Amino acid sequence: MRGASQAKWVVAAVAVALAATACGSGSSSSGSSSDGAVNAQGVFSYQGSEPQHPLQPANAMEVGGGRIIKNLFRGLVDYDPTDGKLRNQVADKIETTDAQHYSVTLKSGWTFHDGTPVTAASFVDAWNWSANTKNNQVNSNWFSDIAGYDAVHPEAGDPTADKMSGLKVVDDTHFTIDLSAPVSYFQYKLGYTAFSPLPTSFYADPVKAGENPIGNGPYKFVSWEHNKAVTLATYDKYTGLDKPKNGGIVFKNYTAAEAAYKDLTSDNLDVLDQVDPTDLANYKTDLGDRAVDQPMGGITSIAFAMYNDAWKAPEKAKVRQGLSMAIDRETITKTVLNGSRAAADSWVAPGVAGYKKGACGEACTFDPAKAKELIAAGGGVPDNKVTVLYNADGGHKEWVDAVCNSIRQSTGVECIGEPKPDFKSARDLIDGHKVTSMMRSAWQQDYPINANFLRDIYGTGASANDSLYSSPEFDKLAKEADAAASIDKTTELYGEAEAVLAKDMPSIPLWYYKTNSGWDNKVQNVKFDSFGDPVFTQVEVKK
């Protein structure tokens, strides 16, 4: 059994991983300073994208909706952006002796934006609703560790229950969580927005609630002008640790990343998401000490549509490995991406607990001769042609074209980018499993353990498993890793599961993300966390 001292060690171990990608910016490692008079009621704008789904906590896997929900809601825990340590928000304490049975105590005084109290039932009811297959939440799989999940979310057919047996309300400030098996890092998963509470009013009309959400976070919902902007205002009764230093946020939608950068340099956009490839070479000169260049826990890959017959035969793994070896990552990251990315050699981002350098093996090295040999050994590329689906509003065209040129020149296989006008359009095709060949796949950490880059993307039935990859060997190792007694053992066993990906190659790791961003002259105290997000509550608007 795991005692209290061991639990503290687990927290410290993962904090070290988070600290490796802690916030900093530009020419200063501590971000912008607060050196001007501040308008505490001032509202700032941020580069966003149209949410793919209604704004429900368990229904956002993409950043367009996810970043909004992270500001509307607060769960039991989150991560301190200054040092990466896990910290309690609504939770007063979460106790366990065996990593399977948890007792949760809530702080008193938390309220939703409609004034109703946040209670133990607010969490338990929300999790039960979000896990239920009838409610079609994209992140329902996040609750699969909880005992009784299979009753509310069976693999086939209707649910046989509407509540998971592993959740019990004790009173307004106490509830218990029983997992079907130990999960050494479960408390870290609780920091994900899917585990947010919901008010009683939500259940009367969940669709309406998704269009006009009521949360318990530092910001309350104001309006959603579809395909234009989502506006939030500071919630003055917020009792969390991170009270806002501003009056609100406008998430402005952009159909072209270059347009967002132009607005930033004209002081018409306050905080940028990411600098587009066209402006990467000059943004540090343009922005000076307002430019951001720092590590983050994220990776870009190309995933195969494994559900298509063309990729199902076992020998096609060699073809996928060959295509990977046809990509000159080093040259593309240095030239097209101006050194803003680092060539990937694994499926897990550096700085994440369990990252294993070189896990991809030779398949992530550039070797045109070997690439041709593997493609031939696997029976060739179907129709000698591949396509890469991506969203055109995200600044991806340049690197997709470069990847395709590398594949074409190295192997003679025709490769063509398949742009869709915006993120939502691309995601709708991906979620509908209508991708012809390959698709852009990007992942930013939800919690800083390699399981998040492995099980949550490549596990059979995982919410983010866009390619529908399924490997009994991978699933077995992931299950053993989850049941391990320590984080160290968990990450070690997940390393073995990652080796299965190197053999099967369901996706091609390309490069690791960095936060390349900036802000305009109208705001200050802008810092970015290890997830690649600005610390929204700390942004100050100048008078």
Side-chain angles (χ1 to χ4, degrees), residues 6 73 83 110 152 170-171 180 258 267 272 283 316 324 373 399 407 427 439 444 446 451 496:
Q6 188 174 6
F73 292 87
D83 58 16
W110 278 75
V152 302
V170 178
D171 55 37
S180 55
E258 294 83 359
D267 289 343
L272 195 69
Y283 87 102
K316 292 303 176 185
S324 177
E373 178 184 324
W399 70 256
I407 289 174
R427 283 304 317 176
M439 68 202 94
Q444 294 175 221
D446 299 307
E496 295 181 19

Side-chain angles (χ1 to χ4, degrees), residues 1-17:
M1 287 189 182
R2 187 168 51 160
S5 61
Q6 188 174 6
K8 290 178 182 177
W9 172 84
V10 168
V11 172
V14 181
V16 169

Side-chain angles (χ1 to χ4, degrees), residues 166-248:
L167 298 176
K168 302 291 183 185
V169 173
V170 178
D171 55 37
D172 280 352
T173 56
H174 296 84
F175 70 98
T176 59
I177 308 168
D178 293 336
L179 307 184
S180 55
V183 177
S184 62
Y185 55 93
F186 183 70
Q187 292 188 51
Y188 288 88
K189 296 183 72 172
L190 291 175
Y192 188 50
T193 52
F195 291 96
S196 299
L198 288 169
T200 303
S201 61
F202 172 89
Y203 305 100
D205 191 342
V207 174
K208 181 180 178 181
E211 290 289 323
N212 190 3
I214 296 172
N216 67 320
Y219 298 95
K220 60 184 178 182
F221 178 81
V222 175
S223 64
W224 184 355
E225 221 179 336
H226 283 281
N227 298 308
K228 291 185 178 180
V230 173
T231 301
L232 311 182
T234 297
Y235 178 49
D236 57 7
K237 295 181 180 179
Y238 178 66
T239 58
L241 300 174
D242 49 343
K243 291 180 173 59
K245 294 182 178 181
N246 52 69

